[in-house]
Amino acid sequence: MLEAETLNGYLGVTITYEMGEDTVVLDGSTLIDWVTYNGDGTATLDTDAVAAFVKNLASTYNTIFSNRTFTTTYGDTITVEGGDYGWWMDQASEVEELTQQILDQESGTREPVWYSKAAILGIGATGDYGDTYVEINLTAQHLYYYKDGALVVESDFVSGKNDATPTGTYGILYCERYATLNGENYSSPVSYWMPFYNGVGLHDASWRTSFGGTIYKTNGSHGCINLPIKVAQKIYENMSAGTAVVVYKLSGTESSSTTTQSNEDIASAIVDALEEITAEGEITSSNYNKMSKRIQWVEAAYDALSSSAKELVTNYDLLEAAVDALEEYDSTH
């Protein structure tokens, strides 16, 4: 009687995984084979069976590191190999949590523990990024950003010299205003920073006047996608962490044409940044990092302007005041 009571508790458990359009049910008919009655009113759960179940679940629904069939804006359907975008289940944590839920005899719907997620679950790798993604054609040096299926912006860019920009499908890690990108022999303040892989990301490049064509072959970046500031701003304002970035090469799309970034756009961004700095007020320990990065970007962007363009920064006195305030803070802290 005690054995029946103990085992019936497990027979009544139903755990449901909703995996996109799929439903995976783990119920008493399976669990009863994982449980051994100990003869004293207790039972032992076969954790190897739990691990095998989770491993199978992961192998069915993981899409990370997969190759994807992708239809480009140019109309070509290609295979985009690799990249670290996709569903990736934390099997060790899922085994631990599922084991505890079974031992607690707790029915319910659960979501697996994921290291990383994609936009759509249950359809495999192809299309798991959904209809919001950045499409980057390294051959054409041109990108498209689609959000909810609609084109937000397209633009020429400059990518990494000597194949420094990796191909594959990645995800935006985070979005940051005013960052300083440091590497061997360089330090580059940027206004819009959206990394997607190993220090490579999308950002503005106030030091460049031209984008596209074959600039990258002789004057490429260290791997990042350098963009005109207005384009970087547009993407940033519509971007969120986790958005897919599809990077590929497409034979036959190379172009010699380039687009120009105007000094007026850079000067306008500097004016806006100086107003932001002034509105922030006094430099304190809580806003120091943000303020110092803003000031670093403004200084670098202003220095890159031509003499005539510098005259467009009508609130330059605010920069001088901000630099003085930063130096004073540094000297007293």
Side-chain angles (χ1 to χ4, degrees):
M1 183 64 121
L2 193 55
E3 179 178 359
E5 252 178 51
T6 302
L7 297 180
N8 279 339
Y10 292 97
L11 277 170
V13 174
T14 299
I15 298 172
T16 303
Y17 288 87
E18 294 180 351
M19 310 296 282
E21 296 183 355
D22 298 342
T23 298
V24 179
V25 178
L26 179 61
D27 59 20
S29 62
T30 298
L31 294 178
I32 199 65
D33 294 329
W34 295 0
V35 175
T36 302
Y37 181 66
N38 295 326
D40 59 356
T42 64
T44 300
L45 180 64
D46 183 353
T47 54
D48 288 340
V50 178
F53 170 83
V54 170
K55 182 178 181 179
N56 182 66
L57 196 66
S59 65
T60 302
Y61 292 99
N62 279 353
T63 60
I64 194 167
F65 308 127
S66 296
N67 297 339
R68 290 171 173 80
T69 300
F70 180 76
T71 301
T72 71
T73 299
Y74 304 84
D76 299 82
T77 298
I78 62 174
T79 297
V80 180
E81 298 183 353
D84 61 3
Y85 181 82
W87 296 96
W88 185 15
M89 193 178 298
D90 180 349
Q91 294 187 50
S93 295
E94 181 57 24
V95 168
E96 182 179 349
E97 292 193 14
L98 178 58
T99 296
Q100 191 59 54
Q101 184 169 345
I102 295 169
L103 291 174
D104 292 341
Q105 298 180 15
E106 179 186 342
S107 295
T109 300
R110 68 171 286 109
E111 180 183 5
V113 182
W114 300 101
Y115 284 119
S116 66
K117 298 181 180 182
I120 302 177
L121 178 62
I123 63 171
T126 294
D128 64 351
Y129 45 82
D131 57 5
T132 297
Y133 57 89
V134 183
E135 175 184 347
I136 296 177
N137 181 351
L138 295 178
T139 308
Q141 293 287 285
H142 200 80
L143 66 71
Y144 303 85
Y145 177 38
Y146 294 95
K147 186 174 183 179
D148 299 325
L151 180 63
V152 174
V153 66
E154 63 174 291
S155 175
D156 288 338
F157 59 79
V158 176
S159 65
K161 185 179 179 181
N162 299 324
D163 291 326
T165 304
T167 56
T169 307
Y170 305 91
I172 294 292
L173 300 173
Y174 58 87
C175 302
E176 181 181 357
R177 282 302 312 274
Y178 302 112
T180 300
L181 312 181
N182 296 305
E184 187 176 352
N185 301 320
Y186 74 90
S187 180
S188 303
V190 299
S191 184
Y192 300 96
W193 172 228
M194 295 159 279
F196 57 81
Y197 176 72
N198 198 29
V200 173
L202 308 165
H203 64 75
D204 56 290
S206 57
W207 56 90
R208 291 190 184 275
T209 56
S210 298
F211 299 84
T214 58
I215 296 170
Y216 73 102
K217 292 184 178 181
T218 55
N219 188 26
S221 72
H222 295 90
C224 287
I225 303 299
N226 289 188
L227 294 163
I229 193 163
K230 289 295 186 182
V231 174
Q233 178 183 7
K234 185 74 170 180
I235 294 174
Y236 182 91
E237 290 173 345
N238 289 276
M239 180 59 68
S240 58
T243 297
V245 180
V246 184
V247 189
Y248 63 85
K249 296 178 180 180
L250 184 60
S251 177
T253 60
E254 185 172 283
S255 173
S256 59
S257 66
T258 61
T259 54
T260 302
Q261 173 169 238
S262 71
N263 281 319
E264 289 79 5
D265 285 347
I266 299 298
S268 175
I270 292 172
V271 169
D272 291 344
L274 286 171
E275 290 177 354
E276 290 174 0
I277 291 169
T278 302
E280 186 74 26
E282 183 181 354
I283 297 177
T284 66
S285 58
S286 60
N287 71 7
Y288 176 82
N289 286 334
K290 178 171 64 175
M291 292 285 274
S292 62
K293 288 177 181 178
R294 280 178 176 173
I295 293 169
Q296 286 172 18
W297 178 79
V298 169
E299 286 187 295
Y302 182 83
D303 287 344
L305 289 175
S306 65
S307 297
S308 59
K310 287 178 179 178
E311 296 177 3
L312 299 174
V313 182
T314 54
N315 55 356
Y316 178 76
D317 58 311
L318 298 181
L319 173 58
E320 295 178 315
V323 170
D324 289 344
L326 183 63
E327 290 178 349
E328 181 178 352
Y329 184 91
D330 287 338
S331 68
T332 56
H333 291 80

